[in-house]
Amino acid sequence: MLDQAFEALKTYDWGADRNQLLPIEEAVITTRDDAAARQALEARIAALLAADVSRDAKDFACRMLMIIGSAAAVPALAALLPEHDESHMARYALERIPADEAARALREALPKASGPLKVGIIGSLGVRRDTASVPALAASLADSDAAVARAAATALGNIGTPEAAKALAASRSTNADVKLAATDARLACADSLLAAGKKSEALVLYKSLAGEDQPKHVRLAGTRGMLACAGKAQ
Amino acid sequence: MHDDQSRTQYEDHGRIRPEHRGPSRREFLKTAGAAIAVPYVITSSALGNEERPPASDRIVMAGIGIGNMGRGDCESFLGRGDVQYVAASDVRKGARDWAKARVDKHYQNGDCQTYNDFREILARGDIDAVHIATPDHWHAIMVIEACRQGKDVYCQKPETRTLREGPLMIAAARRYARVVSGGSQRVLEDYRDTVNKCWAGELGTIKSINVNVGPLSQLCNLPAEATPPEIDWELWLGPAPWAPYNKARCDGNFSTAGNSWRSYIDYSGGGMTDWGAHHFGGATFAVDVRELQPREIEYHDEKEGKFLTYKYPNGLLLTHNRPQTGNLQVEGTPGEEIAAKAVPSYKGDGGIYGDFIECVKTREKPFRDIELAVNTVAVSHLGIIAYELQRSLKWDAARQEFPGDAEANRFLDRARREPWVL
Amino acid sequence: MMKRRIAIALAIFTSWACVGTLRFPAFGEDDAPATAEASAEPDSELLRMVLDLVGDKDKDLRALGFEQVRTEVKGPAATREIAAQLRKLAPEAQIGLLGALADRGDPAAMGEVFLLLETSRDETVRAAAIAVIGVLGNVAHLGTLLQRLSATSEAERDAARQSLVRLRGDDVSAQIALCMELTDYRAAARVQMIEILAERRAQGEVPQILPKALNEDPAVRAAAIKALGALASAEHLPGLVQVVLHAAPGADRESAEKCVAQVCSRVADAENRAKPLLAAIEVLSPDKQVLLLPTLGRVGGVAALPIIEAALTDSDAQRREAGLRAICNWPDAAVAPRLLELAQNASQSDEARALALAALVRVAPLPDKRPDSERLALVKQVMALCTRDADREQVIKRVRAIRTIETLRFLVPYMDQPRFAQQACESLVELAHHRGLREPNKEEFDRVLDRVIATSQDAAVVERAGRYKKGQTWVRPK
């Protein structure tokens, strides 16, 4: 059954009977306690990514690797990151694979990417809260592509470390969308810092956003943060 | 702005054109009295209606996603004297045209603005609040962006598509002190008898409640069809994986049997989230655990069928599809007398819509505050993951993770298609 | 103990009666929880910020302050400082702060809340203050709340009633029940107190409510019977059968009988629900037992059946009639064969046959352990027995409870008969309402719904049919 399902993937495309692939979906779950079987299954699925199969078949493979992918599948997935049609589904797996190799692959792809694909990779690094990518994300804050800078700000907000906050404070973008994202990210960093017990660092951030020069809802956010700091025991 | 001019191409999705940022509502209203030119959004007829609150006291609203649910929401807000409905956004021209015709007819003018790209509505400084009724995979991005732009939000259920989205939506609402209401009117209205009995103490200490709902959504592999010119397909898909257009993939009907987006995993959790938002919402409200999330999900695969038992920190059990058990069937403690509690309800007048508008005015939390809505849909998501993995799970609600369970933690979220970032 | 209770009740009454000279309850040791946290000094910086915010003219900033009041700046000293702001605020802000103080849950705010209640000229503010008393108060505040039950402002009256339902304390229900006995209360006030006790689930006060079910005032009686239906248990059945016997035949008797049935329905052993009622009836004289047979029928169950059967064949006409009413009151379809027999028995009077048929129309479609096919077969059999259009219409109406495609097929032909078409359309959309039935039979439903749209003269039915065809939901108006 499994062999037949893999055979079906060779010609699988939009409109094909999805039930043909059910044995693979079942194997992804049932090999949980059989390391060798799962490793073999992972390798077989990863091999599809370099094969001459449809975008739909690769889409399916990435969905399966999201569940069982390990460091072993990362090279095959990383190879798709620069591809317009497949970059997202490669991230679909890489973003969720806990192995450090997955984060490294995303970081290494960043300098070579541009436009929407770069936005996507930045987004995935942010979701992973990848502290090692902070310098690269800090640099991306100044990217001439506002969508990239905006994504970098959001990613730094997700990471939320003092280094991320520092990078955001240095942002000088005049683009309204980037400023909006950077403000939100600074508030997110302040929340993270306060939760981590770094009250004075958080307070500085909140105060800087509570002034009359900010839109009202941002002032409210800053004030709310200051209240949280005042209520937090040292 | 003419509708066609508002149409944005996919390449523009990362940016919002600055010319669409309107004046702030307060700024506008300051000058509206003296203005002799045609007002930007609030019309002279709107300002002069003596039966309604003055324009400066009305909540200026817009709608995002004007399909089956969006139209109902639009009608409900439009019917309120304390709301001025000024704009609508949808990626389908037919939906935009419907909204414009409906709103303009209501106000007897031609002022309703329509947009293909929701970000143009969120960037308008004159809008106080939006209602969102897009497919579920868009909710988190839109709600969070709305909060960042200072808008209050009424968002249809199910409010989230993944577990990670919930806390981010709550954080955005709290951070900017926004009123964000979920959209299930059934939580309060459909199960009143059960709710009243439980809260009145009639059933004694509640031990368990059952919910029957389903099915789970599935992967979609429908064939490609020619994309109609009336839909911006890239923007319909948004953060979901790319797939070719097919009418059944994006149809907004309420079925979960394969001929609607509610059937498919990239856009919905199927009946488990769609009706689950109502039933789990009603159940957790009835037994008063709506402020909690379960700490354990026990998976049963027995002769009578597969079912779940959610265990809450206070000891309450919530079962899903338990064999031979009715929907919202409660097991209490017969003969035990416990004190009655006041049943929470809507504020203001006009059901869940009135509750939202009242809270926009008073800045209180609405009945279906986003945190409570997120807790409900989390029940659905946790159940889906247990069924997918065919095993029991432990859940750390404070950390929002499956402790020590790397396999399950992969299901907390899914990567968004560029250029959408959360 | 009872003397003390009465003394408290009298004190409450006195405070109620002294309108205009109401004393504020003393706030001191009783209100301040003696915990370490409670005695802690408030965080001065946070408190200062919160005080500024709750007094701000901007409602968004005030809301931030209220959020802090709800959960932060701990301790009664802070509570008093915050509550002291009440007198400085505009009404809108006062209402917001009152709500926040209620959520904070610290009775140390009560002094300021009472001051506001007595001095505010705004009825919405007074109502909000009354609502806070319901959350933070105790039995000592009963007098104030009872007094406000007859306030001229509807908002205050509603708030007082809600607060009396919410007010915490072991003695509260007992004190309300005692206040009910005080002679100066009008019947309307007693009705409210009974309703409040019912909402409080004051099961301990059933002995005090029972006599009210025999009260000369019909409103008091009705309220008491309704409350007893919700609160009483099997042990109170001897008292409740007296209520049935006391009630005049007609609507009063019927509501008393339903009250007894409601109480028996809470007996855990479904088959033996009649047993405690039988025990209460057995000690009565034979003529009273006869009067209680229809009540016994409403309870049903195997223990009651032989008694009803015996009555049905008794030589005494009065007893036979009571037996007939009893079996026609049966709560489920267990007696359907007997009802069929009665409905078809030519030796029975026309009235008796009509009663049995009406009972069959009621019980035949009721959901129970019978298979759907069996329920529908019985409905069809009942329909065949009907000789009056009004009965047939009832069958068409009630059959919707059997949610099968066969029910749809049973109903469809009635759309062709003008006398029944409208009712058939309504029942058909009720069937279509159920997605689990509609979706697997979509084609057949769509065809039928098209006919409903063409036939029905009820705009709501037509709208529903259209929505179901499109797979849309419909929310039943409350």
Side-chain angles (χ1 to χ4, degrees):
Chain A
M1 293 292 277
L2 195 58
D3 290 342
Q4 282 174 333
F6 273 100
E7 192 59 29
L9 266 175
K10 288 180 184 170
T11 55
Y12 189 74
D13 211 341
W14 308 108
D17 179 8
R18 225 188 60 70
N19 290 327
Q20 301 173 90
L21 309 186
L22 290 181
I24 301 176
E25 288 179 44
E26 282 162 18
V28 157
I29 301 302
T30 55
T31 55
R32 180 184 293 128
D33 300 321
D34 184 343
R38 180 165 274 199
Q39 212 175 340
L41 182 66
E42 180 190 2
R44 214 168 165 187
I45 296 171
L48 281 166
L49 301 180
D52 183 19
V53 294
S54 70
R55 177 180 187 170
D56 193 18
K58 289 183 184 177
D59 175 301
F60 177 79
C62 290
R63 288 176 192 269
M64 297 300 104
L65 291 174
M66 187 276 262
I67 304 169
I68 60 162
S70 68
V74 168
L77 289 163
L80 299 183
L81 284 174
E83 303 300 325
H84 178 270
D85 282 356
E86 282 121 13
S87 186
H88 168 237
M89 291 312 288
R91 287 191 297 106
Y92 196 92
L94 286 169
E95 190 175 298
R96 309 306 310 165
I97 294 174
D100 290 343
E101 286 82 350
R104 195 180 309 134
L106 288 163
R107 279 198 301 274
E108 286 173 2
L110 195 56
K112 294 170 254 172
S114 64
L117 299 195
K118 187 169 189 176
V119 170
I121 294 167
I122 288 172
S124 289
L125 286 165
V127 172
R128 291 184 67 102
R129 293 183 176 159
D130 182 53
T131 51
S133 65
V134 168
L137 295 174
S140 296
L141 274 177
D143 200 294
S144 57
D145 182 342
V148 169
R150 189 177 194 273
T154 301
L156 287 164
N158 282 335
I159 292 168
T161 58
E163 293 72 25
K166 204 169 151 188
L168 285 162
S171 169
R172 295 289 174 266
S173 176
T174 54
N175 178 287
D177 291 335
V178 178
K179 280 166 69 178
L180 193 75
T183 297
D184 188 64
R186 290 173 71 192
L187 287 162
C189 283
D191 292 349
S192 299
L193 292 169
L194 186 60
K198 300 178 191 301
K199 179 173 142 178
S200 53
E201 287 165 84
L203 186 59
V204 170
L205 276 172
Y206 289 131
K207 269 189 177 167
S208 71
L209 294 167
E212 291 292 323
D213 55 330
Q214 298 290 343
K216 184 175 177 185
H217 65 287
V218 175
R219 291 204 309 274
L220 288 170
T223 307
R224 193 169 182 274
M226 289 165 66
L227 285 163
C229 289
K232 187 112 174 167
Q234 284 291 356
Chain B
M1 187 176 59
H2 189 271
D3 183 44
D4 287 340
Q5 291 172 315
S6 76
R7 199 173 170 85
T8 347
Q9 296 305 305
Y10 178 52
E11 286 72 23
D12 287 332
H13 290 165
R15 296 174 289 278
I16 295 170
R17 295 203 294 274
E19 63 270 26
H20 294 136
R21 292 182 187 280
S24 82
R25 175 170 176 251
R26 311 295 163 208
E27 285 164 1
F28 169 72
L29 291 172
K30 268 186 208 166
T31 56
I36 49 168
V38 176
Y40 179 71
V41 284
I42 308 263
T43 64
S44 50
S45 62
L47 290 165
N49 187 338
E50 288 176 6
E51 291 176 4
R52 303 177 62 198
S56 56
D57 287 353
R58 291 179 215 155
I59 309 301
V60 180
M61 281 198 74
I64 299 173
I66 313 292
N68 280 339
M69 293 309 298
R71 287 181 192 197
D73 294 346
C74 169
E75 296 272 10
S76 296
F77 286 119
L78 199 57
R80 298 187 62 89
D82 50 3
V83 164
Q84 186 75 28
Y85 202 98
V86 299
S89 148
D90 200 291
V91 297
R92 297 160 302 172
K93 184 173 183 304
R96 293 196 296 274
D97 291 347
W98 179 91
K100 176 154 181 64
R102 181 68 192 88
V103 175
D104 286 349
K105 184 182 172 195
H106 181 81
Y107 293 124
Q108 296 288 293
N109 61 26
D111 293 348
C112 179
Q113 305 285 313
T114 57
Y115 305 89
N116 180 57
D117 190 330
F118 70 96
R119 287 169 297 185
E120 298 190 67
I121 277 187
L122 296 184
R124 275 179 55 165
D126 61 315
I127 291 172
D128 298 314
V130 291
H131 69 85
I132 295 172
T134 58
D136 309 346
H137 65 287
W138 267 115
H139 289 170
I141 285 174
M142 288 173 171
V143 167
I144 291 168
E145 188 61 19
C147 291
R148 286 178 180 173
Q149 299 269 14
K151 314 287 190 244
D152 295 322
V153 187
Y154 176 89
C155 180
Q156 266 299 339
K157 55 93 264 226
E159 291 75 6
T160 61
R161 183 63 206 97
T162 71
L163 282 162
R164 175 176 172 259
E165 290 174 347
L168 293 175
M169 292 161 86
I170 297 165
R174 300 290 184 257
R175 180 174 297 152
Y176 297 110
R178 295 299 90 197
V179 174
V180 181
S181 171
S184 171
Q185 78 289 347
R186 294 179 186 274
V187 168
L188 180 64
E189 295 166 25
D190 275 22
Y191 319 104
R192 267 185 202 275
D193 286 350
T194 307
V195 168
N196 289 344
K197 277 182 186 167
C198 292
W199 284 70
E202 275 184 52
L203 307 178
T205 303
I206 308 295
K207 292 176 183 163
S208 72
I209 188 165
N210 180 64
V211 165
N212 294 331
V213 76
L216 272 59
S217 54
Q218 51 188 302
L219 279 173
C220 180
N221 203 47
L222 290 166
E225 292 176 353
T227 309
E230 87 118 32
I231 189 170
D232 182 341
W233 182 239
E234 288 292 343
L235 200 49
W236 188 92
L237 287 170
W242 186 87
Y245 174 85
N246 182 293
K247 185 178 182 303
R249 182 185 283 273
C250 60
D251 197 292
N253 74 67
F254 296 98
S255 165
T256 50
N259 58 344
S260 68
W261 60 258
R262 287 181 169 83
S263 315
Y264 296 117
I265 208 166
D266 288 334
Y267 327 113
S268 167
M272 186 72 170
T273 54
D274 200 52
W275 271 91
H278 295 312
H279 291 334
F280 285 125
T284 54
F285 177 44
V287 301
D288 198 13
V289 291
R290 63 194 181 132
E291 293 176 2
L292 305 174
Q293 291 186 6
R295 68 175 175 197
E296 203 174 333
I297 305 94
E298 210 168 271
Y299 174 78
H300 311 269
D301 186 356
E302 295 178 3
K303 198 173 63 185
E304 302 95 324
K306 293 170 181 168
F307 70 100
L308 301 175
T309 304
Y310 298 84
K311 297 180 177 176
Y312 277 82
N314 62 357
L316 184 117
L317 303 179
L318 165 63
T319 53
H320 173 247
N321 286 0
R322 186 183 179 89
Q324 285 91 49
T325 313
N327 192 34
L328 266 78
Q329 186 173 320
V330 177
E331 183 194 4
T333 310
E336 187 187 26
E337 184 179 350
I338 62 170
K341 298 181 288 186
V343 184
S345 190
Y346 297 142
K347 301 174 183 77
D349 298 318
I352 195 167
Y353 301 101
D355 179 67
F356 172 69
I357 293 297
E358 178 70 9
C359 291
V360 169
K361 292 175 189 169
T362 64
R363 313 312 298 167
E364 290 176 276
K365 283 182 187 167
F367 173 79
R368 204 69 190 133
D369 176 59
I370 186 65
E371 188 167 347
L372 305 179
V374 162
N375 286 343
T376 290
V377 192
V379 174
S380 301
H381 294 318
L382 292 167
I384 289 170
I385 296 169
Y387 282 121
E388 293 275 349
L389 293 176
Q390 299 169 30
R391 66 177 172 87
S392 301
L393 301 166
K394 292 197 189 309
W395 176 242
D396 183 335
R399 299 176 65 89
Q400 288 288 298
E401 64 179 30
F402 300 98
D405 189 341
E407 184 186 41
N409 281 329
R410 294 186 187 213
F411 288 81
L412 291 175
D413 198 25
R414 51 184 67 162
R416 282 158 194 83
R417 191 168 66 106
E418 55 276 354
W420 302 101
V421 171
L422 199 63
Chain C
M1 182 64 184
M2 183 53 77
K3 276 183 183 172
R4 182 179 162 267
R5 280 178 148 205
I6 291 169
I8 294 172
L10 284 169
I12 290 163
F13 172 69
T14 308
S15 77
W16 181 350
C18 298
V19 180
T21 57
L22 188 70
R23 291 165 289 109
F24 298 157
F27 296 97
E29 312 84 73
D30 288 350
D31 289 318
T35 62
E37 182 185 76
S39 62
E41 284 300 312
D43 180 320
S44 58
E45 186 193 353
L46 181 57
L47 179 59
R48 183 188 51 76
M49 289 176 78
V50 171
L51 295 179
D52 284 349
L53 285 170
V54 299
D56 203 283
K57 285 181 179 158
D58 183 305
K59 66 180 175 185
D60 290 286
L61 286 167
R62 281 203 305 272
L64 281 190
F66 296 157
E67 183 184 288
Q68 296 291 313
V69 171
R70 287 187 174 95
T71 53
E72 306 298 330
V73 220
K74 311 282 189 208
T79 302
R80 287 190 196 96
E81 271 205 67
I82 294 165
Q85 303 300 304
L86 281 170
R87 55 182 94 168
K88 303 175 193 167
L89 302 177
E92 188 188 357
Q94 285 174 328
I95 291 169
L97 182 53
L98 283 166
L101 286 165
D103 291 343
R104 184 177 174 86
D106 184 351
M110 287 285 273
E112 291 290 344
V113 173
F114 265 90
L115 186 62
L116 194 60
L117 175 61
E118 287 306 305
T119 56
S120 175
R121 292 179 185 173
D122 186 319
E123 65 169 333
T124 57
V125 172
R126 292 197 301 273
I130 292 167
V132 179
I133 296 170
V135 178
L136 304 182
N138 57 41
V139 71
H141 307 115
L142 257 184
T144 301
L145 295 175
L146 288 169
Q147 177 198 17
R148 299 283 166 163
L149 270 182
S150 50
T152 49
S153 149
E154 187 183 349
E156 281 183 71
R157 290 199 302 272
D158 289 348
R161 183 181 168 119
Q162 288 303 319
S163 284
L164 283 162
V165 171
R166 296 187 73 173
L167 197 66
R168 283 171 297 186
D170 292 341
D171 265 5
V172 172
S173 293
Q175 292 303 324
I176 293 173
L178 281 173
C179 284
M180 212 163 57
E181 303 300 329
L182 299 173
T183 51
D184 285 31
Y185 291 118
R186 292 193 304 271
R190 287 207 174 84
V191 168
Q192 287 209 65
M193 284 189 245
I194 292 168
E195 289 169 349
I196 287 163
L197 287 171
E199 282 190 65
R200 290 181 64 85
R201 302 282 315 148
Q203 289 168 302
E205 309 317 313
V206 167
Q208 280 66 44
I209 299 172
L210 251 173
K212 299 289 176 288
L214 306 172
N215 194 280
E216 61 191 19
D217 187 288
V220 173
R221 276 203 313 273
I225 287 171
K226 193 173 172 199
L228 290 166
L231 300 179
S233 52
E235 68 192 89
H236 303 114
L237 284 168
L240 288 171
V241 297
Q242 294 302 326
V243 174
V244 175
L245 293 170
H246 181 268
D252 270 11
R253 174 77 58 85
E254 192 173 322
S255 63
E257 288 181 356
K258 283 180 178 170
C259 164
V260 171
Q262 198 181 347
V263 172
C264 291
S265 73
R266 290 196 288 272
V267 173
D269 178 2
E271 283 303 314
N272 289 309
R273 278 178 182 160
K275 277 194 171 170
L277 178 60
L278 283 168
I281 293 174
E282 274 165 11
V283 298
L284 301 174
S285 63
D287 56 330
K288 285 182 178 171
Q289 288 185 8
V290 171
L291 287 174
L292 288 163
L293 285 176
T295 310
L296 189 61
R298 284 183 194 278
V299 176
V302 288
L305 196 53
I307 294 160
I308 305 300
E309 278 293 352
L312 277 169
T313 52
D314 200 278
S315 56
D316 179 67
Q318 196 191 354
R319 198 170 172 79
R320 277 203 309 279
E321 196 204 327
L324 178 71
R325 291 195 181 278
I327 201 156
C328 290
N329 281 347
W330 216 259
D332 53 48
V335 294
R338 189 73 174 98
L339 287 170
L340 275 170
E341 204 179 304
L342 289 165
Q344 296 174 96
N345 188 340
S347 67
Q348 294 286 336
S349 67
D350 288 350
E351 193 195 353
R353 287 204 305 275
L355 271 174
L357 187 64
L360 275 168
V361 172
R362 179 175 59 80
V363 299
L366 287 179
D368 52 28
K369 288 176 182 169
R370 292 172 296 158
D372 290 338
S373 56
E374 193 181 311
R375 291 160 65 207
L376 187 59
L378 181 59
V379 168
K380 287 177 180 174
Q381 201 178 350
V382 171
M383 183 61 118
L385 289 177
C386 291
T387 54
R388 298 186 314 158
D389 283 350
D391 290 334
R392 293 190 183 99
E393 195 167 11
Q394 277 301 307
V395 173
I396 293 168
K397 183 176 183 180
R398 295 188 59 82
V399 74
R400 68 178 70 160
I402 309 171
R403 294 175 194 162
T404 67
I405 193 67
E406 292 302 330
T407 307
L408 175 134
R409 291 168 190 157
F410 167 75
L411 283 168
V412 164
Y414 290 101
M415 277 200 292
D416 296 327
Q417 300 184 36
R419 174 68 179 81
F420 305 119
Q422 299 307 311
Q423 185 58 63
C425 287
E426 193 189 315
S427 287
L428 284 162
V429 294
E430 283 294 338
L431 282 180
H433 182 75
H434 301 283
R435 182 189 300 262
L437 173 61
R438 186 181 72 225
E439 286 194 346
N441 302 290
K442 184 168 168 39
E443 275 187 27
E444 191 167 351
F445 261 101
D446 282 357
R447 282 198 303 274
V448 170
L449 290 171
D450 279 336
R451 289 193 57 199
V452 168
I453 291 166
T455 308
S456 177
Q457 289 162 11
D458 183 332
V461 168
V462 171
E463 189 215 337
R464 289 177 69 184
R467 292 187 70 86
Y468 298 143
K469 268 197 75 185
K470 287 187 270 184
Q472 296 175 337
T473 53
W474 176 78
V475 179
R476 200 177 295 279
K478 298 296 172 198

